[in-house]
Amino acid sequence: MSKDRPNQVLKLGDIVLILMVIIGLGFLSFNLYGNDQGNKEVMIIGQNFRGVYPIEKNRKIEVKGPLGDTIVVIEDGKAWIEYSPCREKICMKMGKISRVGQQVVCVPNRVLVEIEGRNGDIDAVSR
Amino acid sequence: MQYQDSIGYITKSIQNSNQKDRVFYLAYLSSMAIILSILEYLIPKPLPWMRIGLSNAITLYAFGVVKPKEVFYIVLARVLSVSLLIGTFLSTTFILSLTGAIASYFVMLLLFRYFKKIFSFVGISIIGALTSSFSQLFVVNYLFINSQLSYYLFPVLGGFALVGGIITGYFAEFLVRNI
């Protein structure tokens, strides 16, 4: 029936639109995902201690607990517990954390290390 | 109906048909949209938002054949019937698909009225798909989760909408040429 329709489907507006959408989405994703690295900080909570540190700066923090000093290390955008005086050393085996929401916990020595988003980041994701 | 004539592919039989024939024709278009929608649900997807929106091709096609009001009936019938068939009636999924369908209907109506010279089916389909996705994100953001999660999904959903919109647009063009 539609013999009168042109062979070429796309009009100029379509091509411009597609290009604009691609550019816009690229720009948007660059803005959203690009500077993800500088948007995190490490929160450390001890028995009588609470500190928030930027993740970019390498440092060693000693946190006093009921059993002794727990040593938390922040290096290369990652945080982990280097040494803990507790018996099982589970917190040391929990490894390095770098993403928002990840935690390392030492229950016997009352130490919590968590990566937090600075602002406008996701609080929680249900899975 | 000068609006229909301007699209350029209307058959005389539908234009001058009586009320009963029109209702049958609307039911026919709606059932095609429902079938396409359900077929799309059957395709396994890695992410639940990855929808091509093939049933939107019927909406696009209908814009050229019947009155805008009747296109709205087709859209509503499609969303309601599919939700009843899939089993999501009055659930979150249903609210979201209703939002997307109605929002994209009004945007595509505007495009068909005023921007038909600039855009083909593909362009209108892309804008409709983007509208659908982003209106759904808006509703999710303000009704359900109330967080800024949606900002992170913007590019992902936009990309899916772009690809799906292009596919749907070409499919609508195929329908117009072959039906």
Side-chain angles (χ1 to χ4, degrees):
Chain A
M1 133 196 164
S2 312
K3 293 266 160 53
D4 53 332
R5 289 184 79 76
N7 265 330
Q8 199 190 348
V9 177
L10 291 182
K11 292 179 184 167
L12 186 66
D14 296 326
I15 296 159
V16 172
L17 176 78
I18 291 172
L19 287 179
M20 269 171 62
V21 169
I22 289 173
I23 292 169
L25 287 176
F27 187 72
L28 203 67
S29 48
F30 184 76
N31 267 3
L32 280 179
Y33 309 130
N35 47 10
D36 199 36
Q37 207 60 35
N39 211 18
K40 287 183 271 190
E41 47 197 20
V42 183
M43 182 180 69
I44 301 171
I45 299 175
Q47 201 175 26
N48 300 307
F49 175 84
R50 189 196 152 94
V52 180
Y53 305 93
I55 205 162
E56 300 92 4
K57 246 186 185 171
N58 298 347
R59 66 174 88 202
K60 232 175 208 177
I61 302 133
E62 291 180 8
V63 186
K64 276 206 169 58
L67 302 178
D69 282 0
T70 296
I71 299 172
V72 181
V73 176
I74 304 172
E75 205 176 303
D76 299 333
K78 286 173 186 159
W80 67 93
I81 291 183
E82 178 99 339
Y83 171 76
S84 177
C86 55
R87 203 183 60 190
E88 307 282 351
K89 314 269 190 224
I90 292 171
C91 50
M92 289 162 66
K93 289 169 196 152
M94 282 176 82
K96 303 176 177 183
I97 53 173
S98 60
R99 272 178 283 149
V100 174
Q102 282 185 307
Q103 290 178 332
V104 173
V105 186
C106 182
V107 178
N109 208 24
R110 306 273 193 275
V111 175
L112 165 74
V113 182
E114 186 177 345
I115 310 279
E116 285 206 315
R118 213 157 264 161
N119 42 18
D121 217 331
I122 306 159
D123 289 334
V125 179
S126 64
R127 268 173 258 211
Chain B
M1 281 175 226
Q2 72 279 32
Y3 168 60
Q4 289 187 355
D5 289 331
S6 60
I7 296 284
Y9 59 88
I10 312 105
T11 47
K12 276 263 162 14
S13 59
I14 295 159
Q15 220 176 72
N16 303 324
S17 59
N18 59 23
Q19 189 66 30
K20 199 173 142 199
D21 285 348
R22 285 194 90 86
V23 170
F24 277 138
Y25 191 66
L26 289 184
Y28 164 68
L29 284 181
S30 310
S31 64
M32 288 219 295
I34 292 162
I35 289 165
L36 283 174
S37 216
I38 299 226
L39 275 180
E40 220 191 294
Y41 269 102
L42 294 178
I43 303 170
K45 296 171 285 257
L47 292 166
W49 326 292
M50 274 184 69
R51 306 221 31 219
I52 311 168
L54 278 182
S55 56
N56 199 33
I58 302 292
T59 315
L60 288 167
Y61 177 78
F63 263 117
V65 191
V66 293
K67 290 182 207 153
K69 198 174 79 182
E70 291 167 332
V71 179
F72 194 65
Y73 295 157
I74 293 174
V75 170
L76 276 187
R78 190 247 300 167
V79 172
L80 283 172
S81 313
V82 168
S83 73
L84 284 172
L85 284 166
I86 303 275
T88 56
F89 184 57
L90 293 184
S91 71
T92 316
T93 319
F94 170 70
I95 294 168
L96 289 181
S97 64
L98 192 64
T99 313
I102 291 175
S104 63
Y105 163 78
F106 281 111
V107 169
M108 289 194 295
L109 178 64
L110 278 180
L111 289 172
F112 263 105
R113 278 252 166 94
Y114 302 112
F115 297 98
K116 204 151 35 59
K117 289 251 161 58
I118 308 172
F119 296 125
S120 72
F121 273 135
V122 179
I124 295 171
S125 166
I126 290 168
I127 297 177
L130 286 173
T131 314
S132 169
S133 296
F134 290 156
S135 61
Q136 287 180 28
L137 261 189
F138 188 79
V139 168
V140 164
N141 202 7
Y142 284 92
L143 275 184
F144 299 125
I145 56 171
N146 206 5
S147 86
Q148 277 128 343
L149 182 73
S150 64
Y151 295 133
Y152 285 84
L153 283 177
F154 249 66
V156 181
L157 281 179
F160 291 151
L162 181 67
V163 175
I166 292 171
I167 295 171
T168 308
Y170 271 102
F171 185 58
E173 185 72 28
F174 169 81
L175 287 181
V176 167
R177 286 174 189 216
N178 291 289
I179 294 183

